[in-house]
Amino acid sequence: MVMGERENPQSLLITGGAGFIGTNFVRYLLRHTDVQVVVVDALAYAGQHCNVEQWQGDQRCSFVRGHIENAELVEYVCRTYAVDTIVNLAAQTHVDRSILDVHPFVEAIVRGTVVLLEIARRLRLSRFVQMSTDEVYGECLVGECSEGSPIVPSSPYAASKAAADSFVQSYGRTYGLSTLIVRSCNVYGPSQFPEKLVPMSILCALHDELIPLYGDGTQRRQWLFVEDLCRALWLLCRVGQPGQVYHVSSGIEQENREMVEHILQLLRKPRTLLSSVPDRPGHDRRYALRWDKIRDLGWEPQISLEEGLKQTVEWYQANRSWWEPLWTGPYARYRQQWYGQLSQSGAASWGMV
Ligand code: DAU
């Protein structure tokens, strides 16, 4: 075997496998590969038990409920299922929530990642793949960030991700653990928790409710359909080079306002549903990633924005029983708190006096 060439993963631990990206990635692996998968997920607010149920009959997939910070549990799972690769998708992911309370982010993202790294090191696992984000680079007003751009996170969420990335890199350098960091742009698609811009806009529109856009809505993001991300993740699990960072993006850049307008068009709803609300503190106006490094490995996105949004809207229309309990339960409570605080705005409402 030549240097850099490794055996394909056989048994993967997918942490956060009942969340949005996790659910889609597990489904992708079961459809397109013959690997064994074990999911560890705490089923906190964004991880759904119904996501887990869909693969319950599949002999190749097991589910263990628990937190990744629980070292004993994770080690037991790794030994029991002879895990060779960890793909760490477990995280608190919502920027706005990190502004309300940073502690769950530090716990799940920073401490959780360190616990996993320690286990990967001690058990000498073959690979450790860390899901990260374009947000670690902070605002990128012109051009695009490359994998070596300075890390200047703006939000507590992004700072937690940046810290976790640093630990991942340090375990590669210090212990020779075969690590990989995947930084992606905004991802959308089926089974995303309603707090994110795309599902929130779809569900508000279906209820003929106003869609809150922060500030003037001209902030720009790149948008990737979740299945394209899953293909990228699997490719990187196999051929990504140890110690490297890889960007995954579509290069499809949209203003938030434009994204919501596409959704309204698909649902034949009026633009009057758009509603400007005060901006969130520390909101980065733009992110943009170069992704030629993963393109050189043979990956490129296959789903256009039109197709991806159409599939997403149709999924939410067809899966009311999935989102209805969330919309009226955990999301409704959070929505009241967050948008209430946002509308009061001013430094004092964020605890800065
Ligand atoms: O960039 C990758 C990141 O994308 C991931 O690392 C994060 O985990 C993920 O949450 C997402 O972060 P964003 O803050 O960009 O996602 P969100 O869907 O919440 O917001 C997208 C844009 O829409 C952002 O500029 C904020 C804006 N927005 C969002 C909400 C929820 C609004 O204008 N109004 C809203 O009510």
Side-chain angles (χ1 to χ4, degrees):
M1 198 179 286
V2 292
M3 208 176 132
E5 198 179 308
R6 293 166 303 153
E7 278 176 21
N8 274 345
Q10 308 285 322
S11 178
L12 290 93
L13 165 58
I14 313 293
T15 66
F20 164 52
I21 293 175
T23 305
N24 283 281
F25 187 48
V26 172
R27 190 182 310 121
Y28 179 90
L29 291 173
L30 295 178
R31 272 194 197 154
H32 299 282
T33 78
D34 58 2
V35 295
Q36 294 287 331
V37 175
V38 54
V39 168
V40 170
D41 196 301
L43 297 185
Y45 79 93
Q48 299 302 314
H49 197 266
C50 50
N51 293 344
V52 176
E53 281 163 4
Q54 61 184 300
W55 56 72
Q56 240 158 18
D58 196 312
Q59 300 280 318
R60 288 194 294 133
C61 185
S62 311
F63 171 69
V64 178
R65 183 174 185 173
H67 289 272
I68 58 167
E69 302 93 284
N70 182 343
E72 221 173 296
L73 175 85
V74 177
E75 179 163 347
Y76 169 80
V77 167
C78 287
R79 288 187 188 279
T80 306
Y81 294 92
V83 165
D84 54 48
T85 300
I86 294 179
V87 181
N88 183 21
L89 305 177
Q92 290 278 334
T93 64
H94 201 49
V95 177
D96 305 359
R97 286 183 193 255
S98 80
I99 297 169
L100 288 172
D101 182 8
V102 71
H103 298 294
F105 289 75
V106 175
E107 190 62 15
I109 299 176
V110 186
R111 205 164 82 78
T113 301
V114 173
V115 167
L116 296 176
L117 285 166
E118 265 301 292
I119 291 165
R121 171 181 81 82
R122 279 194 287 107
L123 300 186
R124 300 175 187 276
L125 302 192
S126 321
R127 290 170 201 75
F128 187 96
V129 180
Q130 173 77 354
M131 186 67 201
S132 184
T133 168
D134 55 5
E135 304 206 3
V136 297
Y137 300 114
E139 189 166 74
C140 172
L141 290 179
V142 286
E144 293 166 326
C145 290
S146 65
E147 281 85 352
S149 290
I151 304 293
V152 196
S154 301
S155 70
Y157 158 74
S160 308
K161 278 290 188 184
D165 286 5
S166 298
F167 276 108
V168 172
Q169 274 165 330
S170 77
Y171 270 65
R173 291 288 297 269
T174 306
Y175 303 110
L177 184 67
S178 177
T179 61
L180 215 98
I181 294 174
V182 182
R183 295 197 179 126
S184 115
C185 64
N186 282 58
V187 182
Y188 69 98
S191 49
Q192 191 170 29
F193 191 80
E195 65 197 354
K196 305 286 192 249
L197 182 71
V198 168
M200 183 269 288
S201 302
I202 295 171
L203 298 187
C204 280
L206 287 175
H207 289 88
D208 293 309
E209 288 178 19
L210 292 177
I211 302 169
L213 269 182
Y214 298 153
D216 62 4
T218 60
Q219 304 86 356
R220 304 178 75 86
R221 298 287 185 268
Q222 293 175 328
W223 293 94
L224 181 70
F225 190 60
V226 67
E227 206 173 298
D228 279 329
L229 174 69
C230 293
R231 266 191 313 110
L233 277 174
W234 176 233
L235 176 77
L236 293 172
C237 282
R238 287 172 296 135
V239 303
Q241 290 301 297
Q244 293 293 308
V245 176
Y246 291 90
H247 287 172
V248 187
S249 173
S250 58
I252 299 171
E253 189 174 325
Q254 295 279 296
E255 287 185 353
N256 293 337
R257 175 176 288 276
E258 292 172 318
M259 273 304 270
V260 180
E261 282 171 357
H262 283 307
I263 291 167
L264 290 173
Q265 259 173 18
L266 283 166
L267 288 167
R268 297 177 200 283
K269 297 284 182 178
R271 293 182 68 250
T272 48
L273 286 182
L274 285 174
S275 157
S276 175
V277 299
D279 206 349
R280 75 178 177 206
H283 192 180
D284 290 329
R285 288 204 62 82
R286 178 177 180 264
Y287 302 123
L289 294 178
R290 290 180 68 103
W291 52 281
D292 30 355
K293 200 162 157 185
I294 188 168
R295 195 202 310 253
D296 290 346
L297 295 178
W299 177 89
E300 55 179 38
Q302 291 178 349
I303 312 284
S304 68
L305 186 67
E306 290 67 28
E307 178 55 28
L309 276 182
K310 186 168 163 287
Q311 281 191 34
T312 307
V313 165
E314 285 171 359
W315 188 88
Y316 281 90
Q317 284 174 315
N319 288 276
R320 224 186 160 88
S321 62
W322 184 90
W323 56 259
E324 208 147 45
L326 305 177
W327 183 255
T328 52
Y331 177 67
R333 285 191 292 278
Y334 158 77
R335 186 183 185 193
Q336 200 175 13
Q337 182 189 9
W338 169 250
Y339 293 96
Q341 198 151 338
L342 199 62
S343 67
Q344 290 163 27
S345 237
S349 76
W350 301 107
M352 297 170 283
V353 281

